[in-house]
């Protein structure tokens, strides 16, 4: 158990819908990262938040947005869902923003868009 | 642009043998970090080892070591005395830059599926 929690574990929804994925980092970790893992695109970095502020953006679609709240939990919002958004979404946390620290991954949320 | 290449989509190794998983990278930033992660069939991502671009010595963590050849831009993972539980997908990753003002991205390779034979 990494100490990072993600809810829900599984999510099935229809095209055009909007969903919210939630992540709680390990106690004391200030950084939260979101990743998407799909069969065709592999593991892709989406976005990084540090202590409530956006620090880096990866291949995140405009239909996707994220935020990190004062209690450090984070949410990833996916809207106007398409079949291609079906993937495993990971959240990871780390202590700081130095880049030298290891990231602890949550168990992931498996999103299926039908 | 930063890039990570893992050229071995799959490998089979006999139990107790050592195994090397290849990873090459490309970056123009002198400051970067290299990571290896393990993803078992259960799906979770497990951190294995880290190497910083300025680290003088190769990183080691138990049975894992990183063969860092900076001039060749390679960061191969070596697993000594492989075990059945090592069967998993292994990902190499890189982050450019560090520091509290850094806004760096992280990229992952396509992974290598390692299967350990008893």
């Amino acid at each position: 158990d990494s100490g990072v929690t993600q809810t829900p574990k599984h999510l099935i929804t229809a095209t055009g819908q909007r969903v919210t994925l939630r992540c709680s980092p390990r106690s004391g970790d200030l950084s939260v990262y979101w990743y998407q893992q799909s069969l065709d695109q592999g593991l892709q970095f989406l976005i990084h938040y540090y202590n409530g502020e956006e620090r880096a953006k990866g291949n995140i679609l405009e239909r996707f947005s994220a935020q990190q709240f004062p209690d450090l939990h984070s949410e990833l919002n996916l809207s106007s869902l398409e079949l291609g958004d079906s993937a495993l979404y990971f959240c990871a946390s780390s202590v700081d923003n130095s880049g030298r620290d290891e990231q602890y991954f949550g168990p992931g949320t498996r999103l299926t868009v039908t | 642009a930063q890039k990570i290449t893992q050229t071995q989509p799959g490998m089979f190794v006999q139990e107790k043998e050592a195994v090397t998983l290849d990873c090459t990278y490309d970056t123009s930033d002198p400051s970067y970090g290299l990571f290896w992660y393990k993803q078992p069939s259960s799906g979770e991502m497990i951190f294995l080892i880290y190497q910083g671009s300025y680290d003088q010595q190769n990183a080691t963590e138990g049975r894992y070591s990183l063969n860092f050849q900076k001039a060749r831009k390679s960061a191969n993972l070596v697993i000594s005395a492989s075990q059945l539980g090592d069967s998993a997908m292994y990902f190499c990753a890189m982050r450019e830059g560090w520091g509290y003002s850094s806004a760096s991205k992280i990229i992952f390779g396509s992974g290598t599926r390692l299967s350990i034979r008893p």
Side-chain angles (χ1 to χ4, degrees), chain A:
Chain A
D1 186 347
S2 67
V4 178
T5 60
Q6 289 187 249
T7 56
K9 198 167 184 179
H10 300 278
L11 196 50
I12 302 174
T13 188
T15 54
Q17 295 298 306
R18 173 189 170 94
V19 297
T20 297
L21 312 183
R22 183 187 167 101
C23 168
S24 292
R26 291 188 320 154
S27 176
D29 284 0
L30 300 179
S31 270
V32 169
Y33 305 79
W34 285 98
Y35 297 91
Q36 178 195 59
Q37 186 177 33
S38 60
L39 283 174
D40 55 343
Q41 300 270 14
L43 195 57
Q44 302 254 337
F45 164 70
L46 295 179
I47 198 162
H48 168 210
Y49 277 85
Y50 174 72
N51 204 20
E53 289 187 9
E54 182 186 301
R55 298 301 297 162
K57 261 186 175 178
N59 300 320
I60 187 165
L61 300 171
E62 284 191 15
R63 300 184 285 108
F64 296 0
S65 65
Q67 52 183 327
Q68 186 179 27
F69 295 87
D71 67 352
L72 301 177
H73 91 271
S74 178
E75 292 180 356
L76 179 67
N77 300 296
L78 315 176
S79 61
S80 303
L81 285 168
E82 302 175 358
L83 295 178
D85 298 327
S86 295
L88 186 56
Y89 290 84
F90 284 108
C91 161
S93 74
S94 65
V95 171
D96 58 25
N97 190 38
S98 69
R100 300 180 66 89
D101 54 327
E102 63 187 81
Q103 295 181 20
Y104 292 88
F105 278 71
T109 293
R110 182 162 299 279
L111 173 67
T112 303
V113 182
T114 62

Side-chain angles (χ1 to χ4, degrees), chain B residues 19-32:
Chain B
V19 57
T20 298
L21 304 181
D22 295 341
C23 173
T24 57
Y25 60 92
D26 189 24
T27 178
S28 56
D29 194 323
S31 302
Y32 53 89

Side-chain angles (χ1 to χ4, degrees), chain B residues 3-17:
Chain B
K3 188 177 176 182
I4 289 275
T5 303
Q6 293 181 254
T7 56
Q8 306 153 308
M11 286 185 73
F12 287 89
V13 173
Q14 207 66 33
E15 190 181 8
K16 296 181 186 175
E17 287 183 353

Side-chain angles (χ1 to χ4, degrees), chain B residues 39-116:
Chain B
Q39 187 176 37
S41 56
S42 52
E44 74 266 34
M45 293 287 287
I46 303 166
F47 168 79
L48 295 177
I49 199 166
Y50 166 84
Q51 181 84 43
S53 60
Y54 296 117
D55 293 345
Q56 295 297 310
Q57 293 188 328
N58 287 343
T60 59
E61 291 283 350
R63 292 185 302 112
Y64 304 107
S65 60
L66 202 152
N67 184 1
F68 182 45
Q69 298 187 39
K70 196 170 181 177
R72 296 180 60 185
K73 293 190 174 177
S74 77
N76 298 340
L77 177 70
V78 180
I79 306 174
S80 63
S82 58
Q83 303 170 355
L84 295 178
D86 293 333
S87 294
M89 195 77 168
Y90 288 80
F91 292 96
C92 180
M94 177 174 68
R95 178 177 182 171
E96 286 178 333
W98 56 64
Y100 292 96
S101 62
S102 169
S104 55
K105 295 192 261 189
I106 299 163
I107 59 166
F108 283 78
S110 55
T112 296
R113 184 167 297 283
L114 177 64
S115 300
I116 307 298

